[in-house]
Amino acid sequence: MFHGLSAFPLTPTDEDGVDESAVAELVARLDRAGVDSIGALGSTGGYAYLSREQRRRVAQVAVRAAGDTPVLVGIGALRTADVLRHAEDAQRAGAAAVLLAPVSYQPLTDDEVYGLYADVAAELSVPLCVYDNPGTTHVVFSDELHGRIAELPAVGSIKIPATPPEPAQARARVARLRAVLPDRVTIGVSGDPAGAGGLLAGCDAWYSVLGGLWPQVCLAITRAARAGDDDGAHRLSDRLAPLWELFARHGSLRVVSAIAEQAGLIGTPNLPRPLLPLPAEARRHVAAVVEELTPELSEPPGRA
């Protein structure tokens, strides 16, 4: 399941809790679109803002709504004991794999990061994807640490940050990491503007925020890149440059939340406080970008 397009949908949330029916519809759209896997409770899924019970329910709803599409469930938390509880809940819900970022408040040493993954891996009956996301965790993985963690039998994939934009540098980055990993461990790229480049550089998967909302165009990028069609993959990705600019300016979670709300996929408000929706001017900008892009995309961001 750690190949191709892994689409990460929102978890529509307000101060009253999670909108489970909206979660189910967002996930079902991805199953119908034919994505390779679905990432529930990733960063876009707001896992860090949800209680254990809310996360347990989201995992259950997502697995049911996903049909035959495998579901990857995020289990990150500050304490190892809580990570283990989330892992248990995800497995009981039927998750095909779990996604773990080393969430921290105190800076973690390499031994502490390794210890987290070793403790969790020892308790798993499903594969684990290592989530390397220094922008939120402030943990910087060395290739040596990645290689050490990847020797744990449960590890099936590593989700890395965006690869360099220059193709030769991107290929070199992926090759350096590949050299320290067992053959069974795949590499997936995140950071949507780098999706095409990462796949063309040799990554096996694209862990995509936009894929959770616009799966068809992201599938087209993924298939072109995996077929070695450099021009086709970059052409499709470059068409989305206005969205990538919005992601950089406002954060992808706020932007895809605004798009999903404007499309009627989720209600409003839909972000857990202290997160706030985009201000009115930014929302108008998002709407204008979506209107401009929608006729060119194979699927508009509405109900499938």
Side-chain angles (χ1 to χ4, degrees):
M1 65 171 290
F2 299 123
H3 294 79
L5 177 66
S6 188
F8 279 65
L10 294 158
T11 301
T13 308
D14 61 22
E15 294 313 292
D16 295 324
V18 173
D19 184 343
E20 294 183 9
S21 64
V23 170
E25 176 59 17
L26 288 169
V27 171
R29 290 177 75 251
L30 302 177
D31 174 54
R32 294 194 294 269
V35 301
D36 297 291
S37 64
I38 295 169
L41 295 172
S43 297
T44 305
Y47 73 94
Y49 299 94
L50 303 180
S51 69
R52 179 185 179 185
E53 176 60 19
Q54 288 172 326
R55 292 169 66 165
R56 184 181 68 83
R57 287 291 301 151
V58 169
Q60 292 172 340
V61 170
V63 170
R64 283 200 304 267
D68 293 330
T69 305
V71 176
L72 175 71
V73 174
I75 59 171
L78 281 170
R79 296 188 60 192
T80 300
D82 291 327
V83 175
L84 291 170
R85 294 183 186 103
H86 294 312
E88 179 182 7
D89 292 343
Q91 291 177 110
R92 287 185 173 179
V98 295
L99 173 70
L100 176 57
V103 181
S104 65
Y105 181 80
Q106 294 294 333
L108 299 178
T109 67
D110 282 4
D111 284 343
E112 288 168 337
V113 174
Y114 176 82
L116 166 67
Y117 284 98
D119 289 344
V120 175
E123 302 297 325
L124 289 175
S125 59
V126 299
L128 181 151
C129 179
V130 176
Y131 189 1
D132 179 352
N133 188 6
T136 58
T137 66
H138 309 295
V139 171
V140 177
F141 284 81
S142 64
D143 287 352
E144 179 184 7
L145 179 57
H146 269 312
R148 185 181 172 197
I149 292 170
E151 292 294 336
L152 296 168
V155 174
S157 185
I158 296 176
K159 181 178 188 284
I160 64 171
T163 52
E166 204 282 320
Q169 293 179 4
R171 289 192 296 270
R173 170 69 194 107
V174 175
R176 287 195 304 272
L177 181 56
R178 182 89 63 193
V180 301
L181 301 180
D183 290 342
R184 61 180 169 76
V185 177
T186 72
I187 301 173
V189 64
S190 59
D192 276 10
L199 290 168
L200 290 167
C203 289
D204 305 285
W206 177 17
Y207 296 108
S208 173
V209 173
L210 190 63
L213 190 61
W214 269 335
Q216 295 293 1
V217 69
C218 294
L219 278 169
I221 292 170
T222 301
R223 289 167 181 163
R226 299 195 75 203
D229 181 2
D230 293 44
D231 291 342
H234 281 302
R235 183 171 60 252
L236 288 166
S237 182
D238 289 348
R239 284 164 51 190
L240 301 175
L243 275 180
W244 305 151
E245 292 170 6
L246 288 171
F247 280 14
R249 186 179 309 172
H250 302 294
S252 59
L253 173 57
R254 295 180 182 88
V255 174
V256 296
S257 176
I259 295 171
E261 181 191 335
Q262 291 166 2
L265 290 168
I266 60 177
T268 182
N270 52 65
L271 293 173
R273 305 277 293 193
L275 297 179
L276 296 174
L278 293 177
E281 183 177 352
R283 288 166 59 82
R284 286 191 293 270
H285 188 190
V286 169
V289 167
V290 170
E291 183 177 3
E292 180 181 353
L293 289 175
T294 296
E296 302 180 21
L297 299 172
S298 55
E299 179 189 26
R303 293 184 181 272

